[in-house]
């Protein structure tokens, strides 16, 4: 029964993802949260110590907060679509195909409490990062940074590769508005915008490939030869492809940013780790390159664009 409800929660997340195409769907996050919660309750008691049970709790908390933000008047289509996508990735990557099985391990009440607390905090972080990406809040950001630091130090978040990739990807998206708000007032109406965009993208692609190659070369099953080059190339192509797709977003109405195509590139490469992790466990190797590519893209207008000459 729990597996059936988890499948229904996945379908509900898919409905959230496509709901921006329609006017209805306000209460879909509540439906997803409810199905996930019931699936967790019906799972074996030790499920919170398994990735599947943890995913159900994370989804429950995150979707409940998404519903809260929507009820507060936030952008329904944005929160539904993006939240549904994150939920879809979480359940596909963390919930096992065969369902959650009972184990012979015994856990203390403290261990149950710590595991539950970790999953709840993760759900809150993902929901607040999503909120930050829509409307940046400095106080909210400080809380997010503190919570991530606690998870990394106390709960060893870095040991879980799927969560590391998803949290990192959401951090890119959640904190991009901060840097864009700092840079945008200094850009002005310079010339050479197309050249600046092209050069920043090219440098970003080179950095993503170089750092990915350096990191995957240290993976034992790949080595530092042709295999590392091939893996680095297809990972770079995947990130670049999603970045180029993101550049088309202004055509769909996302053109309120000073440099909408550059914003679309940054958005595309920011969400790419979440999508690529559905296919490979090597996704963490692209994170450093994406960080460098984002920094280059954000700062390039200040360096590469020329100010317009003053009229005498």
């Amino acid at each position: 029964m729990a597996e059936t409800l988890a499948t229904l929660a996945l379908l509900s997340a898919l409905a959230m993802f496509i709901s921006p195409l329609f006017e209805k769907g306000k209460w879909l996050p509540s439906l997803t949260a409810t199905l996930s919660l019931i699936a967790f309750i019906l799972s074996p008691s030790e499920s919170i110590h398994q990735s599947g049970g943890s995913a159900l709790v994370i989804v429950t908390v995150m979707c409940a907060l998404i519903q809260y933000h929507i009820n507060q008047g936030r952008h329904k289509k944005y929160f539904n679509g993006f939240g549904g996508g994150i939920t879809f990735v979480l359940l596909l990557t963390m919930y096992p195909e065969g369902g959650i099985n009972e184990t012979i391990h015994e856990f203390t009440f403290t261990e149950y409490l710590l595991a539950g607390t970790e999953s709840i905090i993760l759900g809150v972080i993902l929901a607040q990062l999503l909120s930050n990406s829509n409307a940046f809040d400095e106080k909210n950001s400080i809380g997010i940074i503190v919570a991530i630091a606690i998870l990394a130090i106390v709960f060893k978040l870095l040991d879980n590769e799927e969560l590391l990739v998803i949290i990192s990807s959401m951090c890119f998206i959640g904190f991009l508005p901060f840097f864009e708000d700092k840079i945008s007032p200094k850009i002005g109406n310079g010339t050479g915008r197309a050249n600046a965009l092209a050069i920043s993208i090219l440098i970003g692609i080179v950095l993503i490939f170089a750092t990915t190659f350096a990191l995957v070369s240290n993976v034992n099953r790949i080595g530092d030869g042709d295999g590392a080059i091939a893996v680095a190339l297809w990972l770079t192509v995947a990130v670049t492809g999603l970045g180029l797709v993101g550049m088309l977003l202004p055509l769909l109405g996302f053109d309120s940013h000073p440099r909408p195509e550059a914003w679309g590139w940054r958005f595309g490469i920011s969400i790419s780790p979440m999508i690529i992790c559905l296919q490979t466990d090597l996704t963490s190797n692209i994170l450093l390159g994406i960080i460098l590519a984002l920094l280059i893209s954000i700062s390039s207008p200040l360096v590469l664009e020329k100010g317009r000459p003053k009229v005498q």
Side-chain angles (χ1 to χ4, degrees):
M1 184 64 180
E3 287 74 24
T4 301
L5 289 170
T7 302
L8 291 175
L10 184 67
L11 294 175
S12 181
L14 183 60
M16 286 175 62
F17 181 69
I18 64 175
S19 66
L21 300 176
F22 309 97
E23 292 301 321
K24 298 185 181 297
K26 178 179 179 180
W27 297 102
L28 281 174
S30 291
L31 177 61
T32 307
T34 302
L35 291 170
S36 300
L37 179 59
I38 298 175
F40 173 73
I41 293 172
L42 295 178
S43 298
S45 59
E46 66 267 29
S47 64
I48 189 64
H49 293 281
Q50 301 179 38
S51 63
S54 177
L56 291 174
V57 174
I58 293 170
V59 167
T60 298
V61 175
M62 182 184 69
C63 288
L65 287 174
I66 288 175
Q67 186 67 71
Y68 168 78
H69 286 305
I70 292 175
N71 290 345
Q72 292 297 308
R74 305 291 293 275
H75 199 300
K76 181 187 71 175
K77 292 185 177 181
Y78 181 84
F79 277 84
N80 260 349
F82 214 150
I86 300 169
T87 301
F88 194 76
V89 171
L90 280 169
L91 292 177
L92 279 182
T93 56
M94 295 183 65
Y95 196 85
E97 292 184 8
I100 302 172
N101 299 316
E102 293 185 6
T103 66
I104 60 174
H105 300 290
E106 293 184 1
F107 300 96
T108 64
F109 174 76
T110 301
E111 289 173 326
Y112 277 108
L113 183 62
L114 289 174
T117 301
E118 178 186 12
S119 298
I120 291 171
I121 293 175
L122 284 167
V124 172
I125 288 174
L126 288 173
Q128 294 309 104
L129 283 170
L130 179 57
S131 174
N132 239 28
S133 68
N134 181 248
F136 188 79
D137 185 325
E138 291 189 6
K139 293 182 179 179
N140 183 40
S141 301
I142 294 173
I144 291 172
I145 293 172
V146 171
I148 292 176
I150 292 173
L151 287 177
I153 297 171
V154 178
F155 296 98
K156 299 181 180 180
L157 173 64
L158 300 181
D159 293 343
N160 189 316
E161 187 158 344
E162 291 89 356
L163 285 175
L164 172 63
V165 168
I166 294 171
I167 292 290
S168 298
S169 187
M170 284 305 300
C171 281
F172 297 156
I173 298 165
F175 287 98
L176 266 181
F178 170 77
F179 296 101
E180 291 173 341
D181 290 344
K182 295 293 183 183
I183 296 295
S184 294
K186 302 177 182 179
I187 292 178
N189 295 318
T191 58
R193 294 171 57 175
N195 291 336
L197 176 62
I199 293 172
S200 65
I201 290 176
L202 179 61
I203 294 175
I205 293 172
V206 171
L207 288 172
I208 292 171
F209 173 77
T211 55
T212 302
F213 172 75
L215 291 172
V216 298
S217 297
N218 296 316
V219 179
N220 291 332
R221 71 176 191 267
I222 295 176
D224 57 359
D226 293 341
I229 295 176
V231 171
L233 273 175
W234 79 257
L235 285 172
T236 303
V237 168
V239 175
T240 303
L242 291 168
L244 295 177
V245 170
M247 293 178 67
L248 300 177
L249 289 176
L251 299 178
L252 300 177
F254 296 93
D255 55 358
S256 60
H257 301 267
R259 300 289 187 273
E261 293 81 11
W263 170 83
W265 161 258
R266 292 193 289 269
F267 183 85
I269 64 174
S270 293
I271 66 171
S272 64
M274 283 194 292
I275 299 174
I276 296 173
C277 76
L278 295 174
Q279 292 293 325
T280 177
D281 60 348
L282 298 171
T283 311
S284 59
N285 295 288
I286 64 176
L287 297 177
L288 176 59
I290 290 176
I291 292 173
L292 297 176
L294 289 172
L295 294 176
I296 291 294
S297 177
I298 291 172
S299 59
S300 62
L302 297 176
V303 179
L304 300 175
E305 292 183 15
K306 299 178 180 179
R308 290 185 174 180
K310 297 181 180 179
V311 179
Q312 300 293 334

